[in-house]
């Protein structure tokens, strides 16, 4: 995608300094900064602090982190320990596990001398694959928006509601849920996006709105609880969201609040669609509510908020009554029965087809 006319990926290898650079999402939207990953510890810190977020992008940061670690120590114990450390950074998103398992599968048979170059090459290949997968998701999801436009008699815009950030900042490029929106906008189909603010981290208000603005897509930020109201009044044509983990039967973990949007869409007969590359599938489990681990993040994310005043000075302020505790589950699970379709790099499928999808490049 382009920022101020220059193309960027969310993460890339900088051969000059022998490190991976990524866009610091903690600085957005008020400043554009990049971080340099020079070690596995740097990668782990970027993931845990949420400077990098989004299931696909987290896994790519870890892939580069592993390669950087092997450049220092490529022994068998170091390989296993570094992969385990990176895997432990975020429990819910399954892409991270798939990438670490794939890396171990490829690197264990090699000699220590062969591992650093092989790990770096694998990270680059996986990043390129992610770009291709997301571009394909955009093309395959486009007909959903075209059909919505036709149903309106081509009297636009198509009104789309999304939750959290599933754009190019959450992947290497293009994004998942936003990829069909970008494709439709680029084809001249009028679209308007309702952007959930996505408390408590406000990924929608801070990141999705920024991305859509960069791309020129009309959008409006709304409070998380406004979605049902908009649906009741016919102001939403379809819902598009991403995913952090999807089970073999189609239960989907995504940012907290997604389940409530799916319930409202179901009640109002509105299509609720999940965009996912196949590395987000977890074929080892069926029941998402029972088996997907839900990350519990610090309650401080609810208690405090950071923003800018009119003079563009940043401040962090408490917004909850003193003495009150805060619980902060970061994800919820939407049952497959509430999801109309899944947009993958292979096309649009239903829940019963998920387990049969080919999975390129992963063990």
């Amino acid at each position: 995608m382009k920022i101020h006319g220059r193309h960027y990926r969310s993460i890339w290898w900088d051969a000059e300094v022998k490190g991976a650079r990524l866009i610091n999402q903690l600085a957005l939207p008020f400043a554009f900064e990049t971080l340099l990953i020079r070690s596995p510890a740097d990668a782990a810190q970027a993931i845990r602090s949420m400077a990098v977020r989004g299931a696909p992008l987290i896994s790519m940061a870890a892939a580069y982190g592993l390669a950087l670690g092997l450049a220092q120590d490529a022994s068998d114990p170091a390989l296993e320990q570094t992969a385990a450390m990176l895997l432990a950074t975020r429990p819910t998103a399954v892409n991270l596990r798939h990438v670490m398992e794939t890396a171990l599968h490829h690197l264990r048979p090699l000699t220590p001398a062969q591992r650093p170059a092989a790990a770096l090459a694998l990270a680059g290949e996986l990043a390129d694959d992610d770009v291709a997968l997301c571009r394909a998701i955009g093309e395959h999801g486009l007909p959903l928006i075209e059909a919505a436009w036709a149903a309106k008699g081509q009297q636009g815009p198509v009104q789309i509601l999304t939750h959290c950030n599933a754009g190019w900042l959450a992947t290497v490029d293009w994004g998942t849920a936003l990829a069909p929106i970008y494709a439709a906008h680029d084809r001249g189909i009028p679209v308007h996006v309702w952007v959930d603010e996505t408390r408590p981290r406000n990924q929608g208000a801070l990141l999705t709105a920024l991305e859509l603005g960069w791309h020129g897509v009309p959008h409006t930020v709304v409070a998380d609880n406004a979605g049902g109201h908009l649906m009741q009044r016919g102001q939403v044509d379809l819902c598009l969201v991403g995913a952090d983990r999807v089970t073999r039967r189609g239960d989907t973990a995504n940012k907290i609040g997604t389940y409530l949007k799916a319930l409202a869409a179901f009640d109002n007969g509105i299509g609720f669609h999940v965009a996912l590359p196949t590395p987000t599938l977890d074929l080892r489990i069926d029941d998402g509510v029972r088996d997907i681990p839900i990350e519990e993040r610090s309650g401080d994310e609810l208690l405090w908020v950071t923003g800018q005043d009119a003079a563009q000075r940043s401040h962090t302020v408490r917004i909850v009554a003193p003495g009150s505790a805060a619980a902060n589950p970061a994800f919820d699970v939407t049952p497959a029965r509430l999801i109309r379709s899944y947009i993958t790099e292979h096309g649009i499928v239903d829940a019963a087809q998920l387990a049969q999808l080919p999975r390129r490049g992963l063990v």
Side-chain angles (χ1 to χ4, degrees):
M1 303 299 289
K2 289 186 176 180
I3 304 174
H4 307 309
R6 177 181 172 184
H7 178 264
Y8 283 89
R9 287 185 172 188
S10 296
I11 190 169
W12 64 96
W13 180 254
D14 188 333
E16 188 173 320
V17 296
K18 297 183 179 179
R21 292 194 182 275
L22 57 87
I23 295 172
N24 180 9
Q25 296 185 28
L26 292 173
L28 297 172
F30 306 117
F32 180 81
E33 301 174 356
T34 63
L35 295 176
L36 179 61
I37 295 175
R38 298 289 299 272
S39 70
D42 289 345
Q45 174 60 21
I47 295 168
R48 289 196 185 99
S49 70
M50 299 189 75
V52 56
R53 61 190 94 163
L57 187 58
I58 287 169
S59 69
M60 293 302 103
Y64 280 113
L66 180 62
L68 287 161
L70 295 179
Q72 301 300 317
D73 184 351
S75 65
D76 290 352
L79 172 62
E80 302 296 332
Q81 291 166 11
T82 303
M85 182 273 290
L86 290 164
L87 181 59
T89 53
R90 297 292 298 273
T92 300
V94 76
N95 305 58
L96 175 59
R97 188 189 75 197
H98 288 324
V99 165
M100 288 297 99
E101 290 180 349
T102 297
L104 290 172
H105 174 78
H106 285 283
L107 298 172
R108 279 171 176 151
L110 303 181
T111 67
Q114 295 171 318
R115 285 172 178 165
L120 183 58
L122 178 62
E125 290 167 9
L126 291 172
D128 288 343
D129 279 347
D130 184 74
V131 175
L133 300 184
C134 290
R135 183 183 290 113
I137 286 171
E139 290 301 313
H140 290 306
L142 175 61
L144 288 174
I145 300 175
E146 291 175 328
W149 194 37
K152 296 166 72 86
Q154 296 190 346
Q155 299 300 309
V158 179
Q159 301 280 0
I160 304 167
L161 185 139
T162 189
H163 189 73
C164 196
N165 178 257
W168 70 275
L169 286 167
T171 65
V172 179
D173 207 346
W174 291 100
T176 56
L178 294 193
I181 296 172
Y182 291 137
H185 175 79
D186 291 348
R187 300 285 174 86
I189 299 173
V191 295
H192 171 264
V193 183
W194 296 108
V195 179
D196 283 356
E197 59 181 342
T198 321
R199 285 278 296 150
R201 298 290 309 201
N202 294 321
Q203 291 98 323
L206 298 176
L207 303 180
T208 300
L210 181 68
E211 277 197 42
L212 293 171
W214 274 335
H215 203 80
V217 178
H219 63 280
T220 304
V221 177
V222 294
D224 285 348
N225 289 331
H229 167 81
L230 294 170
M231 294 181 208
Q232 282 182 329
R233 281 156 176 73
Q235 294 178 266
V236 177
D237 297 310
L238 68 155
C239 299
L240 286 176
V241 301
D244 289 87
R245 187 184 303 220
V246 178
T247 73
R248 65 181 296 115
R249 77 179 187 188
D251 296 344
T252 297
N254 195 49
K255 187 56 59 183
I256 192 76
T258 304
Y259 174 43
L260 295 179
K261 295 304 173 357
L263 286 170
F266 188 81
D267 188 53
N268 288 279
I270 295 167
F272 188 90
H273 308 275
V274 173
L276 72 149
T278 49
T280 305
L281 279 172
D282 187 351
L283 301 182
R284 302 179 190 182
I285 59 175
D286 288 305
D287 189 329
V289 174
R290 182 188 66 200
D291 296 328
I292 294 178
I294 300 299
E295 180 180 358
E296 293 277 347
R297 294 188 59 80
S298 170
D300 285 347
E301 293 182 353
L302 275 76
L303 301 175
W304 301 83
V305 66
T306 299
Q308 286 193 345
D309 62 20
Q312 297 184 335
R313 294 171 300 202
S314 294
H315 303 277
T316 298
V317 297
R318 186 182 176 97
I319 58 171
V320 174
S324 295
N328 188 17
F331 303 89
D332 59 23
V333 175
T334 299
R337 63 183 175 81
L338 301 177
I339 299 170
R340 185 167 296 181
S341 76
Y342 303 81
I343 311 167
T344 78
E345 71 268 23
H346 301 292
I348 297 176
V349 301
D350 59 28
Q353 298 171 294
L354 287 171
Q356 280 72 52
L357 292 175
R359 303 173 70 207
R360 182 178 68 185
L362 295 173
V363 296

